[in-house]
Amino acid sequence: MTKIPSLPYTKILAALERDGWIVIRQRGSHIRLEKQLPDEVIKLTVPAHKPVKRSTLSHILKQARIDLDKFLDLL
């Protein structure tokens, strides 16, 4: 199993935007993203940290419904 990397938030945002996520707003050090699906809208928050903790990235990917291999391909 591939280990979750520790990445800066800029790389995480770039990968999520390639997956169709749109930055809605930023308030302080939290960036809010949104993705429109056929039957729902998913929202998630990415902290503007360098680096984002691996456990936090794991939760972000779970909320975004992206598996680790697909995320690594988006980087």
Side-chain angles (χ1 to χ4, degrees):
M1 186 172 156
T2 309
K3 197 172 173 183
I4 294 177
S6 180
L7 298 169
Y9 76 96
T10 51
K11 285 194 172 203
I12 295 169
L13 287 178
L16 289 172
E17 286 176 342
R18 280 192 279 281
D19 190 50
W21 290 85
I22 300 167
V23 174
I24 300 301
R25 65 186 172 99
Q26 179 170 352
R27 186 166 183 182
S29 66
H30 292 85
I31 301 163
R32 189 82 169 156
L33 293 97
E34 188 175 276
K35 184 175 182 180
Q36 185 76 42
L37 296 179
D39 56 341
E40 65 181 316
V41 176
I42 309 175
K43 297 177 182 181
L44 61 92
T45 303
V46 176
H49 298 162
K50 288 186 179 183
V52 173
K53 284 199 237 175
R54 293 196 331 242
S55 60
T56 304
L57 179 55
S58 173
H59 290 293
I60 290 169
L61 295 179
K62 196 173 286 184
Q63 288 176 346
R65 301 176 190 168
I66 300 173
D67 65 356
L68 181 58
D69 293 329
K70 181 179 177 187
F71 177 74
L72 294 174
D73 288 342
L74 292 168
L75 290 175

